[in-house]
Amino acid sequence: MTSAPQPVPSARFVCRSYMAVVLVPEPPLLDWVAGIEERIRGAGRFLVGSPVVLDLSAVKLSNSAIAHLVAELDQRGIQVMGLENMDPASAGRGLPPLVRASRGATTTFDVPRTPAPAPAPKPAEAPRPKPSTLLLDQPVRSGQSIFFPDGDVTVLGSVSSGAELVAGGSIHVYGALRGRAMAGSGGNTRARIFCSKIEAELLAIDGYYMTAESMDKDLRERPVQAWLEGNELKITALD
Amino acid sequence: MGKVVVVTSGKGGVGKTTSTAALGAALAQCGQNVVVVDFDVGLRNLDLVMGAERRVVYDFINVTQGVAKLSQALIRDKRLDRLALLPASQTRDKDALTEDGVQSVITSLRKMFDWIICDSPAGIERGATLAMRYADEAVVVTNPEVSSVRDSDRIIGILDAKTVRAERGERVAKHLLITRFDQARASRGEMLTIEDVLEILSTPLLGIVPESEEVLRASNLGAPVTFNNPNSGPARAYFDAARRLMGEEIEMTIPTDKLSLFGKLFGRRAA
């Protein structure tokens, strides 16, 4: 007697999207792999163990070359889970599958700057020299916040009450300083604050601060400079 | 193509709606085609000051939602045929405004009028940022008083950040309109002087409107102050400001009420 056929348990098919880091190999490949290795040592630790997709648009590789590249990366702890912009004819067994990015799904983010351990080399950054002065030729309006950890900030105009300037270096205001000025953020104790007219709400250098109340009354509205002596903030008139 | 001017301030109660109506009427009286648009959804006042509160059928939100056509919502002023009003909704709030809706209405208005004056609500949130979003120029209304000046400073910073022009790298031309100025109190040091305000705000001055009882009289009667009493100090200041907006160079003065001979003989004339 034939029994009713057992229902085959149906497999669930779900579509889900995941974020993956995309690496773009560029020739010469050996140099590129070495660069990745250095990145991992410096600030790229997150690459290890994360899902990675290789965008092959910049290189022309045969099947075996791609397999070799994937293996090289795997040796360094980078697991390639997909290949993008590869000739579909080259796709084959043994290689990660071909993937296609969905439209508008790309987001870029900066590699977080982790503090490098003492003997480690400088993390591989673009060789372009970073600017060390920020020049603003408009007044800084109330509610605006200028954050420039890489160096000095110079303002050709006034800084309104309710505005704030945070600089890694010194602060120079060729106008009235009515808001908050915080220089030497990040540990630069030699940073100074200069302005043509002091009406500031707060001054700080390397975290040591002084509010308007503690400032000498006869310095008000005069050009001043402020600097750090030990852990005391000192202000003196410039005229 | 019409020019979009936003009348904004940050602080509430400094004279945005009064100035929108007065400047709009002054421009219309100079021969320009003007529409004044109320962006204060939920707390609309422009229709009161324009004397049109009993003629509002459809409003800005109805148009953005496609419930009504723009031509149905626009209210022509009975006294000045070149002046129109697009009122706000009173039953909704500012969350009902959408960026696309506003853009579409502004685009249509640009084709119909020479000047589109947008009356911004107070604050720095959605209502205010939407009112300024498509502006070519801004009139920043400020009282010579510390809170107002600081709030105006804030709104000037936001004009350089949250407008389409700023995002494209272009500038929104800003004009400062000082309202409720009282020369006597400024001389006594009770009020900020014009120089104090200009020093803090560093923005070109469009006009100085003196404090006057005429403003309240005019709004109670539902007429822009330039229309109700054209010889009053505020009206003359707004006329000068409107002409400066059109590019004329006029010497900056603080107009006082001009009394006619009749008025001089028999005292101030009633509205």
Coordinates of all heavy atoms in Angstrom, one line a residue, chain A residues 95-129:
Chain A
L95 N 36.6 29.8 -5.8 CA 36.7 31.2 -5.6 C 35.5 31.7 -4.9 O 34.4 31.2 -5.0 CB 36.7 31.9 -7.0 CG 38.0 31.9 -7.8 CD1 37.9 32.7 -9.1 CD2 39.2 32.4 -6.9
P96 N 35.6 32.8 -4.1 CA 34.5 33.4 -3.5 C 33.5 33.9 -4.6 O 33.9 34.2 -5.7 CB 35.1 34.6 -2.8 CG 36.5 34.4 -2.7 CD 36.9 33.5 -3.8
P97 N 32.2 33.9 -4.3 CA 31.2 34.2 -5.3 C 31.3 35.6 -5.8 O 31.8 36.5 -5.1 CB 29.9 33.9 -4.6 CG 30.2 34.0 -3.1 CD 31.6 33.6 -3.0
L98 N 30.7 35.8 -7.0 CA 30.6 37.2 -7.5 C 29.5 37.9 -6.8 O 28.4 37.4 -6.6 CB 30.2 37.1 -9.0 CG 30.1 38.3 -9.8 CD1 31.5 39.0 -9.9 CD2 29.7 38.0 -11.2
V99 N 29.7 39.1 -6.4 CA 28.7 39.9 -5.7 C 28.5 41.2 -6.4 O 29.4 41.7 -7.2 CB 29.1 40.2 -4.2 CG1 29.1 39.0 -3.4 CG2 30.4 41.0 -4.1
R100 N 27.3 41.8 -6.2 CA 27.0 43.1 -6.9 C 26.5 44.0 -5.8 O 25.7 43.6 -5.0 CB 25.9 42.9 -7.9 CG 26.3 43.5 -9.2 CD 25.3 43.0 -10.3 NE 25.1 41.6 -10.1 CZ 24.9 40.7 -11.0 NH1 25.0 41.1 -12.2 NH2 24.7 39.5 -10.8
A101 N 27.1 45.2 -5.8 CA 26.6 46.2 -4.7 C 25.3 46.7 -5.1 O 25.0 46.9 -6.3 CB 27.6 47.3 -4.6
S102 N 24.4 46.8 -4.1 CA 23.1 47.4 -4.4 C 23.2 48.9 -4.5 O 24.1 49.5 -3.9 CB 22.1 47.0 -3.3 OG 22.6 47.4 -2.1
R103 N 22.4 49.5 -5.3 CA 22.5 50.9 -5.6 C 22.4 51.7 -4.3 O 21.6 51.5 -3.5 CB 21.4 51.3 -6.6 CG 21.7 52.5 -7.4 CD 20.5 53.0 -8.2 NE 20.2 52.1 -9.3 CZ 20.7 52.2 -10.5 NH1 21.5 53.2 -10.7 NH2 20.4 51.4 -11.4
G104 N 23.3 52.7 -4.2 CA 23.2 53.6 -3.1 C 23.5 53.0 -1.7 O 23.2 53.6 -0.7
A105 N 24.1 51.8 -1.7 CA 24.3 51.2 -0.4 C 25.7 51.5 0.1 O 26.1 51.0 1.1 CB 24.0 49.7 -0.5
T106 N 26.5 52.2 -0.7 CA 27.9 52.4 -0.2 C 28.0 53.5 0.8 O 27.5 54.6 0.6 CB 28.7 52.8 -1.5 OG1 28.4 51.9 -2.5 CG2 30.2 52.7 -1.1
T107 N 28.6 53.2 1.9 CA 29.0 54.3 2.8 C 30.5 54.3 3.0 O 31.1 53.2 3.0 CB 28.3 54.1 4.2 OG1 28.5 52.8 4.6 CG2 26.8 54.4 4.1
T108 N 31.1 55.4 3.1 CA 32.5 55.4 3.4 C 32.7 55.9 4.8 O 32.0 56.7 5.3 CB 33.3 56.3 2.4 OG1 32.6 57.6 2.4 CG2 33.3 55.7 1.1
F109 N 33.7 55.3 5.4 CA 34.1 55.8 6.8 C 35.6 55.8 6.9 O 36.3 55.1 6.2 CB 33.4 54.9 7.8 CG 33.7 53.5 7.7 CD1 34.8 52.9 8.5 CD2 33.0 52.6 6.9 CE1 35.1 51.6 8.4 CE2 33.3 51.3 6.8 CZ 34.4 50.8 7.5
D110 N 36.1 56.6 7.8 CA 37.5 56.7 8.0 C 37.9 55.6 9.0 O 37.3 55.3 9.9 CB 37.9 58.0 8.6 CG 37.7 59.1 7.6 OD1 38.0 58.9 6.4 OD2 37.1 60.2 8.0
V111 N 39.1 55.0 8.7 CA 39.7 54.1 9.7 C 39.9 54.8 11.0 O 40.5 55.8 11.0 CB 41.0 53.5 9.1 CG1 41.7 52.7 10.1 CG2 40.8 52.8 7.8
P112 N 39.3 54.3 12.1 CA 39.5 55.0 13.3 C 40.9 55.1 13.7 O 41.7 54.1 13.5 CB 38.7 54.2 14.3 CG 38.5 52.8 13.7 CD 38.6 53.0 12.2
R113 N 41.3 56.2 14.2 CA 42.7 56.4 14.6 C 43.0 55.8 15.9 O 42.6 56.4 16.9 CB 43.0 57.9 14.6 CG 44.3 58.3 14.1 CD 44.6 59.8 14.4 NE 43.8 60.6 13.5 CZ 44.4 61.5 12.7 NH1 45.7 61.5 12.6 NH2 43.6 62.2 11.9
T114 N 43.6 54.6 16.0 CA 43.9 54.0 17.3 C 45.3 54.5 17.7 O 46.1 54.6 16.8 CB 43.9 52.5 17.2 OG1 44.6 52.1 16.0 CG2 42.5 52.0 17.0
P115 N 45.5 54.7 18.9 CA 46.8 55.1 19.4 C 47.8 54.0 19.0 O 47.7 52.9 19.4 CB 46.7 55.3 20.9 CG 45.5 54.6 21.3 CD 44.6 54.5 20.1
A116 N 48.9 54.4 18.3 CA 49.8 53.4 17.8 C 50.7 52.9 19.0 O 51.2 53.7 19.8 CB 50.7 53.9 16.7
P117 N 51.0 51.6 19.2 CA 51.9 51.1 20.2 C 53.3 51.7 19.9 O 53.7 51.9 18.8 CB 51.8 49.6 20.1 CG 51.3 49.3 18.7 CD 50.5 50.5 18.4
A118 N 54.1 51.8 21.0 CA 55.4 52.5 20.9 C 56.2 52.2 19.7 O 56.6 53.1 18.9 CB 56.1 52.4 22.2
P119 N 56.6 50.9 19.5 CA 57.5 50.7 18.4 C 56.9 50.7 17.0 O 57.6 50.6 16.0 CB 58.1 49.3 18.7 CG 57.1 48.6 19.5 CD 56.3 49.7 20.2
A120 N 55.6 50.7 16.9 CA 54.9 50.5 15.6 C 55.2 51.7 14.7 O 55.3 52.8 15.2 CB 53.4 50.4 15.8
P121 N 55.2 51.5 13.4 CA 55.5 52.6 12.5 C 54.2 53.4 12.4 O 53.2 53.1 12.8 CB 55.8 51.8 11.2 CG 55.0 50.6 11.3 CD 55.1 50.2 12.7
K122 N 54.4 54.6 11.8 CA 53.3 55.5 11.5 C 52.2 54.8 10.6 O 52.6 54.2 9.7 CB 53.8 56.8 10.7 CG 53.1 58.0 11.0 CD 53.9 59.3 10.7 CE 54.7 59.3 9.4 NZ 53.9 59.7 8.2
P123 N 50.9 54.9 10.9 CA 50.0 54.2 10.1 C 50.0 54.8 8.7 O 50.2 56.0 8.5 CB 48.6 54.6 10.7 CG 48.9 55.4 11.9 CD 50.3 55.5 12.1
A124 N 49.8 54.0 7.7 CA 50.0 54.4 6.3 C 48.9 55.4 6.0 O 47.8 55.1 5.8 CB 49.9 53.2 5.4
E125 N 49.3 56.7 5.8 CA 48.4 57.7 5.4 C 48.7 58.3 4.1 O 49.9 58.1 3.6 CB 48.5 58.9 6.5 CG 47.8 58.5 7.8 CD 46.3 58.8 7.8 OE1 46.0 60.0 7.8 OE2 45.6 57.9 7.8
A126 N 47.9 59.0 3.5 CA 48.2 59.7 2.2 C 49.4 60.6 2.4 O 49.4 61.3 3.5 CB 47.0 60.5 1.7
P127 N 50.4 60.7 1.5 CA 51.6 61.4 1.8 C 51.3 63.0 1.8 O 52.2 63.7 2.1 CB 52.5 61.1 0.6 CG 51.6 60.5 -0.4 CD 50.4 59.9 0.2
R128 N 50.1 63.4 1.4 CA 49.8 64.9 1.3 C 50.0 65.5 2.7 O 49.4 65.0 3.7 CB 48.4 65.0 0.9 CG 48.0 66.4 0.3 CD 46.7 66.3 -0.4 NE 45.7 65.4 0.1 CZ 44.7 65.8 0.8 NH1 44.5 67.0 1.1 NH2 43.8 64.9 1.3
P129 N 50.8 66.6 2.8 CA 51.0 67.2 4.1 C 49.7 67.8 4.6 O 49.1 68.5 3.9 CB 52.1 68.2 3.9 CG 52.0 68.5 2.4 CD 51.5 67.3 1.7

